[in-house]
Amino acid sequence: MALKKIGKQTVRLEAPPSIIATSSIVGPKEGQGPLAQYFDTILSDDLCGQKSYEKAECKMAMDSADKAISKAGIQKEVIDYMLSGDLLNQIITSSYTAREMGIPYFGLYGACSTMAESLSLGSMLIDGGYGDYILCMTSSHFSSAERQYRFPLEQGTQRPPTAQWTVTGAGAAILSREGNGPYVTHVTTGRVIDMGIKDANNMGAAMSPAAADTIVQHFKDTGFEPKDYDIIATGDLAAVGKELADDLIKKQGYDISNVFTDCGIEIYDSKKQDVHAGGSGCGCSAVVFCGYFYDMLAKGLINRILMVSTGALMSPTSSQQGESIPGIAHAVTIERMV
Amino acid sequence: MNKNMTEAEKKKKDYQQIVKQKSPKSALFKNCVLAFIVGGIICSIGQFFSNLLTKWGIPKDESSIWVPIIMVFWGAFLTGLGVYDNIGKYGGAGSIVPITGFANSIVSPAMEFKKEGYVLGVGAKMFVIAGPVLVYGIASSVIVGLIYYFIR
Amino acid sequence: MLMDYISAFVVGGIICVIGQILIDKTQLTPARILVIFVTSGVILTALGIYEPIVKIGKAGATVPLPGFGYALAKGVMKEVTEKGLIGAFTGGVKGAAGGIAAAITFGYIMSIIFNAKTKK
């Protein structure tokens, strides 16, 4: 009998771990967005002085990890595990970052759901008594993702209005067994849901059924209601997907529209910045959480947030073979006080 | 089990229908107007070079070879400068369909994959799109030639 | 002279609009569009339909990708007439050799000189 599990998919952490520090680093475009003031570092050049965009992404991830560690005021040697994932094939950003860090490392792949996935697993490791400090991080880079999933940068293609813009950014959070919060109190692990959407230019629509499923299940498992939350934030559903998810959740009898937002919508100014439906990528929910939401929690502007990172689990190969896009969403409840 | 399957299928179909309704459509008319203008301009530039060559006294069968060469050069050059993708953003098919777009489809992956080396990066990736075009173009021309040989 | 430009503009524009409709309505990728256009250029030329379009549109019909197919098909038929069966294999590439060689060479040179820039 699993003592800490409540309901079908949720874990209630007995000794909620504290997020003692976060850091965020973003590219120039994100730095022109409305959340600019919340990010630790805004790059002026998204090549980061490196030779390739893959190396640049790695540098970004390294810097954000270092920054989070120094903000936490700890030595990296005391960190028990590093949990990290990214979008590139064989999660090279994470593994090459781990190579430099020298911390015991679990590589994760949850596409853009990685931030919540790493926080979920990290919290469970701490609550289980397997570590004192855990580094949870993820990153994405527009230019490295674009050429892997879509087209070369200089190819003259048109993006449809449902397309999303991969966020260039890396976020890192340090979980600790002891600390003054904010605390991770609940973890709802998502199921893979596929409603048969095949259009890789409409990822929000592919992921929103998974987001709706996880959010509704979270309410059922915990007994929370939408009004218990100050913010319910999905990762990167963007404009189209958020509206769809809102409707799907309403159909199940929960109205979250008052507290519902999406990191992909928050990060860019959709009127001034040419991003079509909004942002996407692992970095999207990572930097919006580690920058914006964490700041609001720390300042006491909000008390409880449900962070629902959403991921699309397809690859260029599966797309070319005509497979539809499976979605996943992981949710973590983060509270200022327990 | 079978009934369950169909119910799940139906749910999927319904959702896909909703997605179709809720997703903003590409502005087809506006895109077509832009494609017409951009494509038209590129072809007129081709016509300009054709007329210029004729003026210089180059015979027609030779100038019809020169024009694609010149256009390919400009397509490749503008791609290198980082201009062609911006034309494509507005022009859509207007900049994809002309032979300058073919050049763009060669240079853009070649440039991007330079970091993976000059043989398997540049050399191989330049044919990601151009390769299929040559395969289908040349193979169909051979078939046409064979048929033409027998029915001529 | 002016007529040349107008007809090139209109014919070229129409061919591109067909491509745009295919992209927006069918979600075909640019690679498929280009393949379809070249192949249909070859077939339409073989059927004798594309030649009149070239007569009217001039560069408006030869600059778009069906014009590449036109060069392939015209080359192959000419070579078959002159050289017989072997022409079926040599004629097409010969007809489009200029464009192909230029695309490969300029493509290579440009990708060596320039680097991909990130999008803003």
Side-chain angles (χ1 to χ4, degrees), chain A residues 29 46 53 141-143 151 153-155 157-158 165 199, chain C residues 20 23-24 27 29-32 115-120:
Chain A
K29 182 160 182 144
D46 67 353
Y53 292 115
H141 194 301
F142 174 81
S143 299
F151 301 108
L153 294 168
E154 302 290 352
Q155 194 165 318
T157 50
Q158 246 170 0
W165 192 277
D199 184 0
Chain C
Q20 188 67 43
I23 290 176
D24 284 351
Q27 294 171 353
T29 56
R32 283 161 197 262
N115 287 310
K117 282 163 279 292
T118 198
K119 288 195 179 183
K120 294 222 167 59

Side-chain angles (χ1 to χ4, degrees), chain A residues 51-52 147 152-156 158 161-162 194-197 202 205 208-209 240 243-244 247-248 251 274, chain B residues 11-12 15-16 18-19 22-26 82 85 88-90 92 96 104 108-109 111-113 115-116 129:
Chain A
K51 279 192 186 130
S52 73
R147 75 167 181 163
L153 294 168
E154 302 290 352
Q155 194 165 318
Q158 246 170 0
T162 52
D194 189 336
M195 295 299 270
I197 302 296
N202 199 352
S208 59
V240 182
E243 204 190 325
L244 289 162
D247 287 353
L248 288 170
K251 270 187 203 152
D274 182 27
Chain B
K11 235 176 141 184
K12 280 189 184 180
Y15 179 68
Q16 286 163 17
I18 296 168
V19 169
K22 295 256 170 167
S23 302
K25 305 276 172 305
S26 296
D85 61 320
K89 204 165 103 184
Y90 299 102
I96 292 172
N104 171 253
S108 56
M111 212 159 48
E112 180 115 11
F113 284 85
K115 280 136 201 156
E116 279 77 25
I129 292 176

Side-chain angles (χ1 to χ4, degrees), chain B residues 46-62:
Chain B
Q47 190 62 49
F48 165 76
F49 285 118
S50 171
N51 289 357
L52 194 68
L53 292 168
T54 314
K55 218 168 99 188
W56 289 348
I58 290 166
K60 211 191 153 286
D61 54 336
E62 228 172 87

Side-chain angles (χ1 to χ4, degrees), chain C:
Chain C
M1 190 76 161
L2 184 68
M3 243 353 253
D4 281 358
Y5 288 109
I6 292 172
S7 50
F9 191 99
V10 172
V11 171
I14 289 171
I15 293 172
C16 292
V17 167
I18 296 169
Q20 188 67 43
I21 293 170
L22 285 175
I23 290 176
D24 284 351
K25 286 281 169 198
T26 61
Q27 294 171 353
L28 283 172
T29 56
R32 283 161 197 262
I33 299 282
L34 293 185
V35 166
I36 290 169
F37 272 63
V38 166
T39 315
S40 42
V42 172
I43 295 168
L44 290 176
T45 308
L47 296 174
I49 299 170
Y50 208 72
E51 186 75 47
I53 301 176
V54 174
K55 284 258 147 54
I56 302 165
K58 302 213 169 61
T62 55
V63 169
L65 265 244
F68 192 65
Y70 167 74
L72 286 164
K74 227 181 108 183
V76 86
M77 293 197 288
K78 182 166 166 263
E79 199 83 345
V80 167
T81 315
E82 286 169 8
K83 304 233 169 88
L85 189 57
I86 191 72
F89 291 92
T90 58
V93 181
K94 233 184 208 178
I100 296 172
I104 291 173
T105 315
F106 293 140
Y108 187 79
I109 293 170
M110 297 303 170
S111 57
I112 300 302
I113 299 175
F114 296 103
N115 287 310
K117 282 163 279 292
T118 198
K119 288 195 179 183
K120 294 222 167 59

